[in-house]
Amino acid sequence: MLGMCRGRRKFLAASLAVLLIPALTWLYLSVGSFQVRPLPLSPLEAQSPALVEGLGERQALELRVRAVEEENQALRRELSRPHRSPAAARVPHAGRHGNQSRTHSEEGTGDNEGQKAAAAAAAAAAAAAAGNSSDCVQQPVVDKCETIHVAIVCAGYNASRDVVTLVKSVLFHRRNPLHFHFITDSIAQHILSSLFHTWMVPAVRVDFYDADELKSEVSWIPNKHYSGIYGLMKLVLTKTLPSDLHRVIVLDTDITFATDIAELWAVFHKFKGQQVLGLVENQSDWYLGNLWKNHRPWPALGRGFNTGVILLLLDRLRKLRWEQMWRLTAERELMSMLSTSLADQDIFNAVIKQNPFLVHQLPCFWNVQLSDHTRSEKCYKDVSDLKVIHWNSPKKLRVKNKHVEFFRNLYLTFLEYDGNLLRRELFGCPSEADRNSESLQKTLSELDEDDPCYEFRRERFTVHRTHLYFLHYEYEPSSDNTDVTLVAQLSMDRLQMLEAICKHWEGPISLALYLSDAEAQQFLRYAQGSEVLVSRGNVGYHVVYKEGQFYPVNLLRNVAMQQVNTPFMFLSDIDFLPMYGLYEYLRKSVVQLDMANTKKALVVPAFETLRYRLSYPKSKAELLSQLDMGTLFTFRYHVWTKGHAPTNFAKWRTATTAYKVQWEADFEPYVMVRRDSPEYDRRFVGFGWNKVAHIMELDAQEYEFVVLPNAYMIHMPHAPSFDITKFRSNKQYRVCLRTLKEEFQQNMSRRFGFAALKYMTAENNS
């Protein structure tokens, strides 16, 4: 009985609210003389009373009325439903008003809930009204084709490799043209200029600035940070970058983007007053000075700021005389601190400590710092909040963090991502005319796509993305001008040959590796885990990224040849092991045969074994013994005798001095030549005629072929390559190869005239 009475009271209270509230509201609006002081709807509105007078006040009240009426309609619908228990009736209200827990007892819930609902709706409407009138400032949007400028300091082989992952992550998300400004040493410039030249990404411009010219600006600052002098280069960007460049995003090489960089570029519009630096707070306790006993960091504002991501308003900084500002601060602090611990970051923070008005603090998701003692977990609630990840610990991917697996996987995604897929046009944004790209497109358009050999012809003009010196390289050629570099090319299935070759050849090596992005990382892990390869700093690894259906063997050879820095080069293949001591033997031959002043190609006789485990002969006598026993054979004697027959192995068995041989059709020996010798012809891809054409070119240019009497190399067995399988099984492949041979010979006739006639005759007789 008591429950029924309470239910009726609730029903009557709700009915009265439905009837009286609209009536009172109409009465209020009809009396124009009443002046009611409105409640401030937002801090901004409280400072602008004009916005809530007159029409603004009437608009706000109408919105409130509309919200209350909507709430009343909801109540009517609720009351028209069949009677339910009070507990069940509370569920819709809880759902409408959020996830707050409601554990009130049954008493006291009926009369108040309608009022609470109306009040909440009124408050929401009031907030909306306030937002529409004053607070709703539209977020600035970066123009569709506005160029975003990015500055990066990069020096050395490892940093040049790391920065590629950063660039990939930026290109993956970007929708705007980009202009990269690289402050580099000569090594990084050589690597990155080649990479971007062959990458050919539309709407991307790259400029380089010589870091060596800037060293004097910062070399006076002692720095303990592992980045060395290059870690101070960001201080001089106002002086380094073009004077007509007004703003730039500055990034460390160990950054990974998880969003469009245009969102960060848009933050420049939020700068106010004298703000010229956009920075994220440092996410460790470093600058609080409590990490260990007697820890004494540079002065900073609170926790300080991290300089892995910086927004620089260059024009304003120049007007503020930034150069003088940071120099004076650094000089003063170095008197007591003696050196920097975190490179440019210490000096930036010292300047900000004195001039806090310079900094615009960025939300921490623009620089989530994965360093030791990091507090980065406190700056995001969900991984979807992340925008920029900063691997700012020397441990890099091995850093400890609760979510490090997620961060590592994101990084690895871009690390192994196919960079060729980033060659996409920005629709609606005309990019600057690239002469190389235009010339390439014109050449490709002239090819006949109905030609059965179209794919062969197209491969000759394919531009393969190339990363030179993928690993650290350090070698200075000997001063006697006799030094020789071994040149070879390989794919992932021949990787196991590297250690053996390094054991046989102690001199410099230039290798071109044909890999996908993912395979390049597998190779990196293999090389870094090999004691033999780690100990060799004189091996240059040049990664040519996969594209197309053919193995571009001659392009790879040319890439490896172009990076030779010794006067001579030994043109080998990855499947061959040179004899022990061949490096020194070739250097002596350079002097004995006057290689520097004559055009000679020194032939190293080639042999082969069918045994995977071979007791490698340590002398010519031991090799001849194995040859007689059938353990070794002259190379390809049973399938392609013509390839090495002119070497005259019978004469070589007893020769004690070098002897000349004449060119013959299909001759393809392995030779040592001067560095300025002609390159390989790119039209030959996959299997067939790639070396033959090169030897023919050498002969046409009047090189003498001289066989070395005490040199040899041995081909090791391996599974047939994919390309030789295609050659053997595909008739069209063989037809196209013959067509390319004929075109090459015709080209030789045009270039060398009557002297090239013998190549046509020899081919017809063979």
Side-chain angles (χ1 to χ4, degrees):
M1 188 69 181
L2 183 61
M4 289 178 62
C5 290
R6 287 178 178 169
R8 288 173 182 170
R9 285 202 301 272
K10 291 178 183 178
F11 182 83
L12 288 171
S15 301
L16 286 171
V18 169
L19 294 171
L20 289 175
I21 290 175
L24 290 171
T25 304
W26 175 83
L27 181 63
Y28 178 86
L29 292 173
S30 63
V31 183
S33 59
F34 284 119
Q35 295 293 328
V36 181
R37 185 175 181 180
L39 292 172
L41 303 180
S42 72
L44 186 59
E45 186 185 79
Q47 297 171 13
S48 307
L51 293 174
V52 294
E53 292 178 1
L55 291 174
E57 176 184 320
R58 189 178 185 90
Q59 231 177 12
L61 287 170
E62 286 174 356
L63 284 169
R64 290 182 187 178
V65 171
R66 197 174 303 127
V68 172
E69 286 179 344
E70 289 174 358
E71 186 67 20
N72 288 340
Q73 289 173 5
L75 280 171
R76 288 193 191 99
R77 288 193 296 271
E78 188 68 24
L79 291 169
S80 65
R81 293 177 183 175
H83 181 70
R84 296 176 298 171
S85 67
R90 286 199 299 272
V91 175
H93 296 293
R96 264 201 310 275
H97 297 295
N99 298 323
Q100 295 177 357
S101 175
R102 296 188 181 274
T103 58
H104 305 296
S105 63
E106 186 177 290
E107 290 83 43
T109 60
D111 293 339
N112 291 334
E113 287 211 357
Q115 295 173 6
K116 288 178 181 177
N132 290 336
S133 61
S134 61
D135 247 0
C136 187
V137 179
Q138 189 175 359
Q139 182 72 21
V141 178
V142 178
D143 291 342
K144 180 180 179 181
C145 297
E146 181 179 351
T147 299
I148 295 172
H149 294 266
V150 181
I152 303 170
V153 178
C154 183
Y157 300 98
N158 294 336
S160 300
R161 188 177 63 247
D162 294 339
V163 79
V164 176
T165 308
L166 160 61
V167 171
K168 281 185 182 179
S169 69
V170 172
L171 292 175
F172 181 84
H173 296 287
R174 65 102 179 216
R175 292 182 177 83
N176 286 72
L178 296 171
H179 188 164
F180 288 101
H181 303 264
F182 286 103
I183 296 85
T184 62
D185 63 353
S186 58
I187 294 169
Q189 180 172 352
H190 180 57
I191 295 170
L192 295 177
S193 60
S194 171
L195 177 65
F196 279 98
H197 177 73
T198 54
W199 203 342
M200 300 180 72
V201 184
V204 170
R205 178 178 168 184
V206 179
D207 281 325
F208 294 93
Y209 308 83
D210 190 355
D212 292 335
E213 294 181 359
L214 304 172
K215 284 183 177 179
S216 60
E217 301 284 340
V218 292
S219 59
W220 57 274
I221 304 173
N223 179 26
K224 294 180 180 178
H225 194 257
Y226 61 85
S227 59
I229 192 170
Y230 298 100
L232 299 164
M233 295 287 180
K234 285 183 279 188
L235 293 166
V236 295
L237 289 180
T238 53
K239 189 174 182 179
T240 308
L241 298 177
S243 58
D244 59 348
L245 181 59
H246 302 306
R247 60 185 65 176
V248 68
I249 296 172
V250 186
L251 302 173
D252 280 355
T253 57
D254 52 3
I255 290 288
T256 305
F257 266 77
T259 191
D260 188 352
I261 196 171
E263 294 180 33
L264 182 58
W265 187 258
V267 176
F268 275 116
H269 295 288
K270 295 184 178 181
F271 281 36
K272 298 176 181 177
Q274 291 183 288
Q275 292 176 346
V276 290
L277 305 169
L279 293 163
V280 171
E281 185 182 45
N282 202 44
Q283 290 160 17
S284 77
D285 293 342
W286 176 271
Y287 286 108
L288 298 181
N290 57 10
L291 293 183
W292 58 80
K293 189 177 180 181
N294 299 325
H295 174 216
R296 186 166 169 249
W298 275 56
L301 198 63
R303 292 187 179 278
F305 295 91
N306 184 277
T307 56
V309 177
I310 316 176
L311 270 60
L312 289 183
L313 276 179
L314 296 171
D315 49 349
R316 291 191 195 175
L317 278 167
R318 292 179 183 116
K319 290 177 182 176
L320 289 171
R321 301 175 70 184
W322 167 253
E323 286 285 323
Q324 182 179 353
M325 188 182 294
W326 74 258
R327 282 176 181 276
L328 291 174
T329 302
E331 288 171 0
R332 184 182 65 254
E333 296 300 333
L334 283 170
M335 293 177 68
S336 58
M337 299 301 297
L338 303 181
S339 68
T340 62
S341 297
L342 300 182
D344 64 89
Q345 184 169 299
D346 284 338
I347 298 174
F348 270 102
N349 275 290
V351 174
I352 292 169
K353 174 76 171 178
Q354 284 187 298
N355 309 280
F357 58 86
L358 295 177
V359 70
H360 174 87
Q361 184 168 338
L362 303 175
C364 66
F365 50 65
W366 283 117
N367 185 353
V368 178
Q369 301 147 38
L370 302 181
S371 58
D372 294 335
H373 314 294
T374 183
R375 300 172 69 253
S376 60
E377 296 172 16
K378 298 182 180 180
C379 85
Y380 58 89
K381 295 180 181 178
D382 190 82
V383 291
S384 61
D385 298 334
L386 301 172
K387 295 186 182 296
V388 173
I389 299 168
H390 185 188
W391 302 90
N392 62 321
S393 165
K395 297 178 182 178
K396 301 306 177 187
L397 298 187
R398 301 188 308 276
V399 72
K400 293 181 180 179
N401 182 281
K402 186 166 68 175
H403 302 113
V404 73
E405 280 303 315
F406 170 81
F407 299 132
R408 190 182 290 124
N409 289 338
L410 179 66
Y411 177 82
L412 292 176
T413 298
F414 292 115
L415 191 70
E416 300 184 356
Y417 188 82
D418 185 354
N420 297 330
L421 300 178
L422 298 170
R423 290 169 167 166
R424 55 175 184 258
E425 292 282 351
L426 295 181
F427 293 107
C429 292
S431 55
E432 293 184 20
D434 184 338
R435 292 180 182 176
N436 293 328
S437 179
E438 288 181 350
S439 175
L440 175 62
Q441 293 302 321
K442 184 176 183 296
T443 301
L444 292 176
S445 66
E446 292 172 353
L447 296 178
D448 180 8
E449 295 189 25
D450 296 326
D451 181 355
C453 301
Y454 170 77
E455 292 298 334
F456 283 85
R457 300 187 193 284
R458 191 182 193 285
E459 176 58 40
R460 181 182 182 183
F461 303 105
T462 299
V463 178
H464 289 264
R465 183 167 43 103
T466 304
H467 188 133
L468 304 176
Y469 297 101
F470 199 70
L471 292 174
H472 184 81
Y473 180 81
E474 190 170 354
Y475 183 74
E476 284 295 327
S478 61
S479 58
D480 60 2
N481 292 322
T482 63
D483 220 339
V484 185
T485 299
L486 185 148
V487 172
Q489 39 71 38
L490 68 152
S491 53
M492 199 68 180
D493 59 343
R494 300 289 191 271
L495 206 57
Q496 73 279 0
M497 290 295 298
L498 288 182
E499 288 189 350
I501 288 177
C502 285
K503 291 176 182 177
H504 280 249
W505 178 275
E506 64 270 27
I509 303 174
S510 182
L511 297 172
L513 300 92
Y514 193 55
L515 306 171
S516 66
D517 290 76
E519 287 174 341
Q521 297 310 311
Q522 294 175 35
F523 159 70
L524 178 63
R525 291 189 289 271
Y526 170 79
Q528 292 176 336
S530 166
E531 292 183 8
V532 174
L533 301 186
V534 166
S535 65
R536 293 289 297 270
N538 63 348
V539 181
Y541 302 98
H542 315 295
V543 175
V544 177
Y545 287 101
K546 286 184 175 180
E547 187 172 0
Q549 59 176 303
F550 296 105
Y551 184 76
V553 57
N554 280 355
L555 166 67
L556 296 171
R557 287 177 171 137
N558 291 342
V559 168
M561 287 170 62
Q562 290 161 6
Q563 303 312 311
V564 168
N565 64 347
T566 57
F568 302 95
M569 52 190 180
F570 172 43
L571 306 179
S572 181
D573 270 342
I574 199 68
D575 306 319
F576 281 87
L577 289 181
M579 74 175 197
Y580 291 107
L582 181 61
Y583 171 61
E584 289 298 335
Y585 181 75
L586 290 178
R587 291 184 63 180
K588 291 176 182 177
S589 300
V590 166
V591 178
Q592 293 170 359
L593 299 171
D594 194 23
M595 287 286 291
N597 301 309
T598 57
K599 295 175 75 172
K600 289 188 178 74
L602 304 189
V603 177
V604 176
F607 300 85
E608 70 175 327
T609 180
L610 302 180
R611 299 184 180 184
Y612 283 89
R613 292 189 176 183
L614 173 72
S615 176
Y616 200 94
K618 295 180 174 59
S619 66
K620 180 177 179 179
E622 192 174 331
L623 179 137
L624 291 174
S625 174
Q626 292 186 11
L627 198 63
D628 293 336
M629 292 171 58
T631 305
L632 294 178
F633 309 93
T634 56
F635 185 56
R636 291 290 185 261
Y637 83 100
H638 56 300
V639 292
W640 187 245
T641 308
K642 294 188 295 184
H644 294 266
T647 302
N648 195 346
F649 288 99
K651 183 174 182 177
W652 182 82
R653 292 179 69 101
T654 58
T656 56
T657 59
Y659 59 93
K660 294 180 183 180
V661 294
Q662 298 299 315
W663 175 89
E664 294 180 21
D666 299 320
F667 191 29
E668 52 176 2
Y670 293 93
V671 297
M672 183 187 78
V673 292
R674 293 193 316 220
R675 184 175 57 186
D676 61 356
S677 68
E679 293 186 344
Y680 289 81
D681 194 296
R682 276 198 61 185
R683 84 185 74 203
F684 297 105
V685 295
F687 177 81
W689 248 64
N690 44 72
K691 291 195 301 294
V692 172
H694 185 248
I695 294 299
M696 188 183 291
E697 176 80 25
L698 292 178
D699 183 66
Q701 294 195 22
E702 300 181 341
Y703 275 71
E704 291 181 355
F705 295 100
V706 179
V707 180
L708 297 173
N710 294 306
Y712 55 87
M713 58 197 298
I714 300 176
H715 180 267
M716 304 305 291
H718 58 78
S721 67
F722 181 61
D723 289 283
I724 196 171
T725 303
K726 284 194 295 184
F727 172 80
R728 290 170 178 170
S729 62
N730 190 326
K731 181 180 178 181
Q732 186 60 49
Y733 193 111
R734 297 191 295 273
V735 169
C736 288
L737 179 58
R738 175 166 287 278
T739 301
L740 295 175
K741 285 167 57 177
E742 292 171 355
E743 291 175 357
F744 174 77
Q745 290 168 334
Q746 291 168 8
N747 181 257
M748 292 283 285
S749 297
R750 286 193 295 269
R751 291 170 58 205
F752 298 102
F754 182 76
L757 184 61
K758 68 176 181 177
Y759 306 122
M760 302 288 288
T761 306
E763 177 64 21
N764 293 331
N765 294 334
S766 63

